[in-house]
Amino acid sequence: MTTEPDTSADERPGRFVAFVERRSEFGLVVGWLALLVSFAPSLLPRPWYVQAAASALSVITGYAVGTLLGSIVRDVARWLGVHVSVVDHRHRVRLSVVLYTLAALITVVLWGAGYQGRRHSAELVGLPAPSVGTDALSLLAAIGVTSVLMALIWTVRSAFRVSRRVLRFALPKPVAGLLAMCLVALAGTWLSTSVIAAQGLEMLSASASKVNKQSPEDVSAPTLPLVSGGPGATQPWTDLGREGQIYTAHTPTPAQLQALTGKPAEQPIRLYAAPPDGHVEADQLADTIVREIERTGALDRDYLNIVGTTGSGWVDEYNVRSLEALTDGDVATAAVQYSFLPSVAQFLTNRSLPANVGRTLVRRVIALVEARPADRRPKLLLSGESLGALSMESAFDNADELLASPVAGALWTGTPNSTPLWRSITASRQKGSPQIAPVIDNGKHIRFAGNPSQIDADAYGRPLGQWGDRRFLFMQHPSDPIVWWDWSLIYDRPSWSKEPSGFDVDSDLSWYPLVTFWLTTVDLISANSAPGGHGHRYRAEQVDGWAGVLNVSVAPGEKDRIVASVEAFDKDS
């Protein structure tokens, strides 16, 4: 009589070990590598909470891909009749020691390289460098988020298995499995799009709408007829939305401008239009601005600036205040609100809206200007940041159209990569000029600059040619992910990663398929966390930008006073 050996509880694997052993080996390996990759450096350093989210999503994606690949490899091996195993226990132990040692070595090397790279990136853009402590915090948070997401995934898998088991009573096994997969996929798609995404967007929209209707504190409606929302305006001040109210309420007086420049100044004109009922009609907004231009005599000013707003209707005060100071107030600036959603939400849900509104507005204003005698026309300027730049640039498809228009100049900052005009002009750059600072016709009309020193020189410090009377300037930081993010990063190495890096990007940064796309996508979250002059933060350099476009000089101390006045405005608002 023989008896089975009694396996004591001490010899059985613990719950954690058993849990891990039930997981896909391929999935665990690829998930682990994805975790290490998520700590690699990119254009900008990441706050610990952004790093945690990025790491969690990386692990989940890596595990899913690894599990799929492992399943395919096992099926192919089974079909070929290939089976690999280490029978001898001692050899298995030795192999395990080698593999675990190799894994530990890879972990230390990859994390260490990423850690140093992220510290260098932080130093280049003037942000606090990450520490071992913040990385540990990110890792712990990532583990928590990953656990929650994996629980959801396993819930979906359980639903699939239950559905398949039920369907087997009435259908053949292969058909039951396929139908169960389709049912779970359809249910998951409906739940994520029709419930979670739709409800999330509805809540975001409701919250943004509520904020838009709240008047800012400590400001009041303009009392000047030369400002939208003031006496005789087409729209009452309360209809301009929160950002429109802030923009118009902070219109500087001639005395305030004189304090900045030391020269006498006129009262600048600020115009704004917003959809009164929340329903955006491009023609209606253009009509409102045209009426405001005619009402205030804006066409009699030396300059007329049409500035694009971001998703929430925000107008960049650095842009407007700098122009007003450098023109001694002899300028009218007009803007329209096309949305109250944050820029990211607007870009993801309906990026054609700012383009359509901007195109309609610019063309209407051009027609208005051209209707006047040539000697009584203001110099028409265009400007904007981010979606505001996209909005204004959408009036033109290429440089030929831009130069054929009556627009005298423009200052565009942080133009999104998907903007057709930006892409067309960048692609036509002179051979040898880098993508981060293209040279177009030796800088005759159109120029690109990452910082003020590049306005009159190329990326290598060589002087550009004579800048003509009509001047268009794109300002874009090498570390701005809004400018460089594109779907093609998944599979195609961009020119900016092949060329010498910009002044605020690590020279050791490389491109890798999928990886660079993912990390640049994560950078979008932190784009506005960098200090001015880096990332998506265009601040003091706009004074230099407008000085170049207007062909005026800035007196010593004048730039500092202009910047200080805007910083005080930011604190107040």
Side-chain angles (χ1 to χ4, degrees), residues 462-486:
R462 297 171 297 195
L464 297 173
Q466 182 69 30
W467 206 354
D469 292 336
R470 302 176 65 206
R471 302 181 172 199
F472 303 89
L473 179 60
F474 294 84
M475 300 203 79
Q476 51 192 38
H477 301 144
S479 59
D480 185 353
I482 302 293
V483 178
W484 311 119
W485 183 91
D486 185 63

PDB file of all heavy atoms in Angstrom, residues 462-486:
ATOM      1  N   ARG A 462      23.929  82.512 -36.144  1.00  0.00           N
ATOM      2  CA  ARG A 462      24.269  83.269 -37.338  1.00  0.00           C
ATOM      3  C   ARG A 462      23.170  84.289 -37.637  1.00  0.00           C
ATOM      4  O   ARG A 462      21.986  83.942 -37.631  1.00  0.00           O
ATOM      5  CB  ARG A 462      24.442  82.326 -38.535  1.00  0.00           C
ATOM      6  CG  ARG A 462      25.582  81.337 -38.366  1.00  0.00           C
ATOM      7  CD  ARG A 462      25.603  80.289 -39.453  1.00  0.00           C
ATOM      8  NE  ARG A 462      24.400  79.464 -39.435  1.00  0.00           N
ATOM      9  CZ  ARG A 462      24.282  78.303 -40.075  1.00  0.00           C
ATOM     10  NH1 ARG A 462      25.307  77.828 -40.759  1.00  0.00           N
ATOM     11  NH2 ARG A 462      23.158  77.610 -40.013  1.00  0.00           N
ATOM     12  N   PRO A 463      23.551  85.553 -37.909  1.00  0.00           N
ATOM     13  CA  PRO A 463      22.542  86.600 -38.158  1.00  0.00           C
ATOM     14  C   PRO A 463      21.669  86.262 -39.359  1.00  0.00           C
ATOM     15  O   PRO A 463      22.155  85.736 -40.371  1.00  0.00           O
ATOM     16  CB  PRO A 463      23.379  87.856 -38.407  1.00  0.00           C
ATOM     17  CG  PRO A 463      24.715  87.563 -37.810  1.00  0.00           C
ATOM     18  CD  PRO A 463      24.916  86.082 -37.957  1.00  0.00           C
ATOM     19  N   LEU A 464      20.382  86.552 -39.240  1.00  0.00           N
ATOM     20  CA  LEU A 464      19.465  86.402 -40.371  1.00  0.00           C
ATOM     21  C   LEU A 464      19.565  87.624 -41.278  1.00  0.00           C
ATOM     22  O   LEU A 464      20.205  88.619 -40.936  1.00  0.00           O
ATOM     23  CB  LEU A 464      18.039  86.228 -39.856  1.00  0.00           C
ATOM     24  CG  LEU A 464      17.777  84.984 -39.004  1.00  0.00           C
ATOM     25  CD1 LEU A 464      16.377  85.022 -38.411  1.00  0.00           C
ATOM     26  CD2 LEU A 464      17.971  83.706 -39.822  1.00  0.00           C
ATOM     27  N   GLY A 465      18.913  87.535 -42.421  1.00  0.00           N
ATOM     28  CA  GLY A 465      18.939  88.644 -43.360  1.00  0.00           C
ATOM     29  C   GLY A 465      18.049  89.796 -42.916  1.00  0.00           C
ATOM     30  O   GLY A 465      17.518  89.812 -41.798  1.00  0.00           O
ATOM     31  N   GLN A 466      17.868  90.752 -43.815  1.00  0.00           N
ATOM     32  CA  GLN A 466      17.033  91.911 -43.526  1.00  0.00           C
ATOM     33  C   GLN A 466      15.582  91.481 -43.343  1.00  0.00           C
ATOM     34  O   GLN A 466      15.033  90.753 -44.164  1.00  0.00           O
ATOM     35  CB  GLN A 466      17.147  92.923 -44.674  1.00  0.00           C
ATOM     36  CG  GLN A 466      16.361  94.201 -44.480  1.00  0.00           C
ATOM     37  CD  GLN A 466      16.940  95.077 -43.377  1.00  0.00           C
ATOM     38  OE1 GLN A 466      18.146  95.056 -43.146  1.00  0.00           O
ATOM     39  NE2 GLN A 466      16.104  95.842 -42.714  1.00  0.00           N
ATOM     40  N   TRP A 467      14.975  91.932 -42.237  1.00  0.00           N
ATOM     41  CA  TRP A 467      13.560  91.615 -41.985  1.00  0.00           C
ATOM     42  C   TRP A 467      12.718  92.679 -42.669  1.00  0.00           C
ATOM     43  O   TRP A 467      12.902  93.877 -42.434  1.00  0.00           O
ATOM     44  CB  TRP A 467      13.299  91.600 -40.479  1.00  0.00           C
ATOM     45  CG  TRP A 467      12.144  90.714 -40.092  1.00  0.00           C
ATOM     46  CD1 TRP A 467      11.291  90.066 -40.927  1.00  0.00           C
ATOM     47  CD2 TRP A 467      11.731  90.376 -38.764  1.00  0.00           C
ATOM     48  NE1 TRP A 467      10.372  89.344 -40.222  1.00  0.00           N
ATOM     49  CE2 TRP A 467      10.616  89.511 -38.881  1.00  0.00           C
ATOM     50  CE3 TRP A 467      12.181  90.723 -37.491  1.00  0.00           C
ATOM     51  CZ2 TRP A 467       9.945  88.990 -37.789  1.00  0.00           C
ATOM     52  CZ3 TRP A 467      11.522  90.192 -36.397  1.00  0.00           C
ATOM     53  CH2 TRP A 467      10.420  89.335 -36.530  1.00  0.00           C
ATOM     54  N   GLY A 468      11.801  92.245 -43.520  1.00  0.00           N
ATOM     55  CA  GLY A 468      10.990  93.179 -44.292  1.00  0.00           C
ATOM     56  C   GLY A 468       9.993  93.950 -43.446  1.00  0.00           C
ATOM     57  O   GLY A 468       9.933  93.810 -42.217  1.00  0.00           O
ATOM     58  N   ASP A 469       9.194  94.777 -44.121  1.00  0.00           N
ATOM     59  CA  ASP A 469       8.201  95.580 -43.411  1.00  0.00           C
ATOM     60  C   ASP A 469       7.103  94.716 -42.804  1.00  0.00           C
ATOM     61  O   ASP A 469       6.550  95.059 -41.748  1.00  0.00           O
ATOM     62  CB  ASP A 469       7.578  96.607 -44.367  1.00  0.00           C
ATOM     63  CG  ASP A 469       8.579  97.662 -44.795  1.00  0.00           C
ATOM     64  OD1 ASP A 469       9.545  97.886 -44.050  1.00  0.00           O
ATOM     65  OD2 ASP A 469       8.405  98.238 -45.889  1.00  0.00           O
ATOM     66  N   ARG A 470       6.768  93.611 -43.456  1.00  0.00           N
ATOM     67  CA  ARG A 470       5.741  92.702 -42.936  1.00  0.00           C
ATOM     68  C   ARG A 470       6.459  91.568 -42.193  1.00  0.00           C
ATOM     69  O   ARG A 470       7.280  90.864 -42.773  1.00  0.00           O
ATOM     70  CB  ARG A 470       4.881  92.163 -44.068  1.00  0.00           C
ATOM     71  CG  ARG A 470       4.191  93.285 -44.856  1.00  0.00           C
ATOM     72  CD  ARG A 470       3.418  92.725 -46.021  1.00  0.00           C
ATOM     73  NE  ARG A 470       2.327  91.889 -45.572  1.00  0.00           N
ATOM     74  CZ  ARG A 470       1.801  90.891 -46.297  1.00  0.00           C
ATOM     75  NH1 ARG A 470       2.295  90.600 -47.483  1.00  0.00           N
ATOM     76  NH2 ARG A 470       0.791  90.186 -45.829  1.00  0.00           N
ATOM     77  N   ARG A 471       6.120  91.427 -40.925  1.00  0.00           N
ATOM     78  CA  ARG A 471       6.882  90.529 -40.063  1.00  0.00           C
ATOM     79  C   ARG A 471       5.969  89.551 -39.318  1.00  0.00           C
ATOM     80  O   ARG A 471       5.034  89.969 -38.644  1.00  0.00           O
ATOM     81  CB  ARG A 471       7.705  91.343 -39.066  1.00  0.00           C
ATOM     82  CG  ARG A 471       8.658  92.327 -39.745  1.00  0.00           C
ATOM     83  CD  ARG A 471       9.471  93.095 -38.732  1.00  0.00           C
ATOM     84  NE  ARG A 471      10.512  93.896 -39.369  1.00  0.00           N
ATOM     85  CZ  ARG A 471      11.577  94.385 -38.745  1.00  0.00           C
ATOM     86  NH1 ARG A 471      11.732  94.182 -37.441  1.00  0.00           N
ATOM     87  NH2 ARG A 471      12.469  95.085 -39.408  1.00  0.00           N
ATOM     88  N   PHE A 472       6.283  88.264 -39.458  1.00  0.00           N
ATOM     89  CA  PHE A 472       5.509  87.208 -38.814  1.00  0.00           C
ATOM     90  C   PHE A 472       6.463  86.366 -37.974  1.00  0.00           C
ATOM     91  O   PHE A 472       7.475  85.875 -38.472  1.00  0.00           O
ATOM     92  CB  PHE A 472       4.815  86.344 -39.866  1.00  0.00           C
ATOM     93  CG  PHE A 472       3.919  87.130 -40.782  1.00  0.00           C
ATOM     94  CD1 PHE A 472       4.419  87.693 -41.951  1.00  0.00           C
ATOM     95  CD2 PHE A 472       2.591  87.340 -40.459  1.00  0.00           C
ATOM     96  CE1 PHE A 472       3.601  88.433 -42.794  1.00  0.00           C
ATOM     97  CE2 PHE A 472       1.762  88.080 -41.294  1.00  0.00           C
ATOM     98  CZ  PHE A 472       2.273  88.632 -42.464  1.00  0.00           C
ATOM     99  N   LEU A 473       6.122  86.220 -36.699  1.00  0.00           N
ATOM    100  CA  LEU A 473       7.017  85.535 -35.768  1.00  0.00           C
ATOM    101  C   LEU A 473       6.292  84.406 -35.045  1.00  0.00           C
ATOM    102  O   LEU A 473       5.252  84.620 -34.420  1.00  0.00           O
ATOM    103  CB  LEU A 473       7.569  86.538 -34.751  1.00  0.00           C
ATOM    104  CG  LEU A 473       8.508  85.982 -33.670  1.00  0.00           C
ATOM    105  CD1 LEU A 473       9.742  85.337 -34.288  1.00  0.00           C
ATOM    106  CD2 LEU A 473       8.901  87.081 -32.690  1.00  0.00           C
ATOM    107  N   PHE A 474       6.858  83.212 -35.148  1.00  0.00           N
ATOM    108  CA  PHE A 474       6.403  82.055 -34.367  1.00  0.00           C
ATOM    109  C   PHE A 474       7.383  81.869 -33.224  1.00  0.00           C
ATOM    110  O   PHE A 474       8.573  81.659 -33.450  1.00  0.00           O
ATOM    111  CB  PHE A 474       6.392  80.777 -35.208  1.00  0.00           C
ATOM    112  CG  PHE A 474       5.397  80.763 -36.334  1.00  0.00           C
ATOM    113  CD1 PHE A 474       5.699  81.342 -37.559  1.00  0.00           C
ATOM    114  CD2 PHE A 474       4.167  80.144 -36.180  1.00  0.00           C
ATOM    115  CE1 PHE A 474       4.801  81.311 -38.609  1.00  0.00           C
ATOM    116  CE2 PHE A 474       3.248  80.106 -37.228  1.00  0.00           C
ATOM    117  CZ  PHE A 474       3.568  80.695 -38.445  1.00  0.00           C
ATOM    118  N   MET A 475       6.888  81.928 -31.989  1.00  0.00           N
ATOM    119  CA  MET A 475       7.737  81.641 -30.833  1.00  0.00           C
ATOM    120  C   MET A 475       7.367  80.256 -30.296  1.00  0.00           C
ATOM    121  O   MET A 475       6.186  79.970 -30.063  1.00  0.00           O
ATOM    122  CB  MET A 475       7.583  82.705 -29.745  1.00  0.00           C
ATOM    123  CG  MET A 475       7.950  84.097 -30.207  1.00  0.00           C
ATOM    124  SD  MET A 475       8.421  85.230 -28.864  1.00  0.00           S
ATOM    125  CE  MET A 475      10.109  84.697 -28.557  1.00  0.00           C
ATOM    126  N   GLN A 476       8.383  79.412 -30.143  1.00  0.00           N
ATOM    127  CA  GLN A 476       8.128  78.036 -29.716  1.00  0.00           C
ATOM    128  C   GLN A 476       9.336  77.520 -28.938  1.00  0.00           C
ATOM    129  O   GLN A 476      10.453  77.537 -29.427  1.00  0.00           O
ATOM    130  CB  GLN A 476       7.851  77.146 -30.928  1.00  0.00           C
ATOM    131  CG  GLN A 476       8.902  77.243 -32.031  1.00  0.00           C
ATOM    132  CD  GLN A 476       8.459  76.587 -33.320  1.00  0.00           C
ATOM    133  OE1 GLN A 476       7.300  76.656 -33.717  1.00  0.00           O
ATOM    134  NE2 GLN A 476       9.391  75.929 -33.990  1.00  0.00           N
ATOM    135  N   HIS A 477       9.084  77.084 -27.722  1.00  0.00           N
ATOM    136  CA  HIS A 477      10.164  76.561 -26.889  1.00  0.00           C
ATOM    137  C   HIS A 477      10.494  75.126 -27.309  1.00  0.00           C
ATOM    138  O   HIS A 477       9.576  74.337 -27.592  1.00  0.00           O
ATOM    139  CB  HIS A 477       9.760  76.571 -25.418  1.00  0.00           C
ATOM    140  CG  HIS A 477       9.421  77.932 -24.905  1.00  0.00           C
ATOM    141  ND1 HIS A 477       8.420  78.159 -23.985  1.00  0.00           N
ATOM    142  CD2 HIS A 477       9.959  79.155 -25.188  1.00  0.00           C
ATOM    143  CE1 HIS A 477       8.361  79.454 -23.720  1.00  0.00           C
ATOM    144  NE2 HIS A 477       9.275  80.073 -24.435  1.00  0.00           N
ATOM    145  N   PRO A 478      11.754  74.767 -27.331  1.00  0.00           N
ATOM    146  CA  PRO A 478      12.112  73.370 -27.629  1.00  0.00           C
ATOM    147  C   PRO A 478      11.461  72.378 -26.669  1.00  0.00           C
ATOM    148  O   PRO A 478      11.227  71.224 -27.030  1.00  0.00           O
ATOM    149  CB  PRO A 478      13.641  73.370 -27.490  1.00  0.00           C
ATOM    150  CG  PRO A 478      14.045  74.778 -27.758  1.00  0.00           C
ATOM    151  CD  PRO A 478      12.950  75.625 -27.184  1.00  0.00           C
ATOM    152  N   SER A 479      11.151  72.820 -25.451  1.00  0.00           N
ATOM    153  CA  SER A 479      10.572  71.925 -24.438  1.00  0.00           C
ATOM    154  C   SER A 479       9.048  71.972 -24.397  1.00  0.00           C
ATOM    155  O   SER A 479       8.445  71.427 -23.477  1.00  0.00           O
ATOM    156  CB  SER A 479      11.110  72.298 -23.049  1.00  0.00           C
ATOM    157  OG  SER A 479      10.781  73.649 -22.723  1.00  0.00           O
ATOM    158  N   ASP A 480       8.418  72.597 -25.390  1.00  0.00           N
ATOM    159  CA  ASP A 480       6.958  72.722 -25.384  1.00  0.00           C
ATOM    160  C   ASP A 480       6.316  71.512 -26.067  1.00  0.00           C
ATOM    161  O   ASP A 480       6.350  71.384 -27.291  1.00  0.00           O
ATOM    162  CB  ASP A 480       6.543  74.006 -26.118  1.00  0.00           C
ATOM    163  CG  ASP A 480       5.041  74.259 -26.031  1.00  0.00           C
ATOM    164  OD1 ASP A 480       4.305  73.394 -25.522  1.00  0.00           O
ATOM    165  OD2 ASP A 480       4.600  75.337 -26.488  1.00  0.00           O
ATOM    166  N   PRO A 481       5.697  70.595 -25.317  1.00  0.00           N
ATOM    167  CA  PRO A 481       5.100  69.401 -25.935  1.00  0.00           C
ATOM    168  C   PRO A 481       3.902  69.718 -26.816  1.00  0.00           C
ATOM    169  O   PRO A 481       3.570  68.928 -27.708  1.00  0.00           O
ATOM    170  CB  PRO A 481       4.699  68.547 -24.730  1.00  0.00           C
ATOM    171  CG  PRO A 481       4.507  69.522 -23.615  1.00  0.00           C
ATOM    172  CD  PRO A 481       5.517  70.609 -23.850  1.00  0.00           C
ATOM    173  N   ILE A 482       3.228  70.857 -26.585  1.00  0.00           N
ATOM    174  CA  ILE A 482       2.094  71.232 -27.426  1.00  0.00           C
ATOM    175  C   ILE A 482       2.547  71.406 -28.871  1.00  0.00           C
ATOM    176  O   ILE A 482       1.841  71.044 -29.817  1.00  0.00           O
ATOM    177  CB  ILE A 482       1.461  72.552 -26.926  1.00  0.00           C
ATOM    178  CG1 ILE A 482       1.010  72.429 -25.468  1.00  0.00           C
ATOM    179  CG2 ILE A 482       0.296  72.965 -27.825  1.00  0.00           C
ATOM    180  CD1 ILE A 482      -0.125  71.488 -25.230  1.00  0.00           C
ATOM    181  N   VAL A 483       3.757  71.934 -29.036  1.00  0.00           N
ATOM    182  CA  VAL A 483       4.284  72.182 -30.378  1.00  0.00           C
ATOM    183  C   VAL A 483       4.739  70.887 -31.045  1.00  0.00           C
ATOM    184  O   VAL A 483       4.605  70.727 -32.261  1.00  0.00           O
ATOM    185  CB  VAL A 483       5.455  73.186 -30.313  1.00  0.00           C
ATOM    186  CG1 VAL A 483       6.055  73.409 -31.699  1.00  0.00           C
ATOM    187  CG2 VAL A 483       4.986  74.515 -29.732  1.00  0.00           C
ATOM    188  N   TRP A 484       5.261  69.948 -30.269  1.00  0.00           N
ATOM    189  CA  TRP A 484       5.907  68.783 -30.867  1.00  0.00           C
ATOM    190  C   TRP A 484       5.073  67.515 -30.813  1.00  0.00           C
ATOM    191  O   TRP A 484       5.441  66.504 -31.441  1.00  0.00           O
ATOM    192  CB  TRP A 484       7.252  68.541 -30.172  1.00  0.00           C
ATOM    193  CG  TRP A 484       8.060  69.794 -30.090  1.00  0.00           C
ATOM    194  CD1 TRP A 484       8.499  70.437 -28.965  1.00  0.00           C
ATOM    195  CD2 TRP A 484       8.505  70.608 -31.187  1.00  0.00           C
ATOM    196  NE1 TRP A 484       9.168  71.581 -29.284  1.00  0.00           N
ATOM    197  CE2 TRP A 484       9.188  71.727 -30.647  1.00  0.00           C
ATOM    198  CE3 TRP A 484       8.383  70.513 -32.583  1.00  0.00           C
ATOM    199  CZ2 TRP A 484       9.750  72.710 -31.438  1.00  0.00           C
ATOM    200  CZ3 TRP A 484       8.936  71.506 -33.364  1.00  0.00           C
ATOM    201  CH2 TRP A 484       9.618  72.578 -32.799  1.00  0.00           C
ATOM    202  N   TRP A 485       3.960  67.514 -30.097  1.00  0.00           N
ATOM    203  CA  TRP A 485       3.143  66.294 -30.025  1.00  0.00           C
ATOM    204  C   TRP A 485       2.431  66.047 -31.341  1.00  0.00           C
ATOM    205  O   TRP A 485       1.788  66.939 -31.910  1.00  0.00           O
ATOM    206  CB  TRP A 485       2.110  66.412 -28.907  1.00  0.00           C
ATOM    207  CG  TRP A 485       1.304  65.151 -28.741  1.00  0.00           C
ATOM    208  CD1 TRP A 485       1.589  64.097 -27.928  1.00  0.00           C
ATOM    209  CD2 TRP A 485       0.087  64.807 -29.418  1.00  0.00           C
ATOM    210  NE1 TRP A 485       0.628  63.122 -28.042  1.00  0.00           N
ATOM    211  CE2 TRP A 485      -0.305  63.534 -28.954  1.00  0.00           C
ATOM    212  CE3 TRP A 485      -0.705  65.444 -30.367  1.00  0.00           C
ATOM    213  CZ2 TRP A 485      -1.449  62.892 -29.407  1.00  0.00           C
ATOM    214  CZ3 TRP A 485      -1.846  64.804 -30.829  1.00  0.00           C
ATOM    215  CH2 TRP A 485      -2.214  63.546 -30.341  1.00  0.00           C
ATOM    216  N   ASP A 486       2.535  64.812 -31.821  1.00  0.00           N
ATOM    217  CA  ASP A 486       1.858  64.419 -33.056  1.00  0.00           C
ATOM    218  C   ASP A 486       1.711  62.904 -33.064  1.00  0.00           C
ATOM    219  O   ASP A 486       2.556  62.181 -32.499  1.00  0.00           O
ATOM    220  CB  ASP A 486       2.673  64.889 -34.275  1.00  0.00           C
ATOM    221  CG  ASP A 486       1.953  64.602 -35.587  1.00  0.00           C
ATOM    222  OD1 ASP A 486       0.854  65.161 -35.797  1.00  0.00           O
ATOM    223  OD2 ASP A 486       2.480  63.814 -36.394  1.00  0.00           O
TER     224      ASP A 486
END
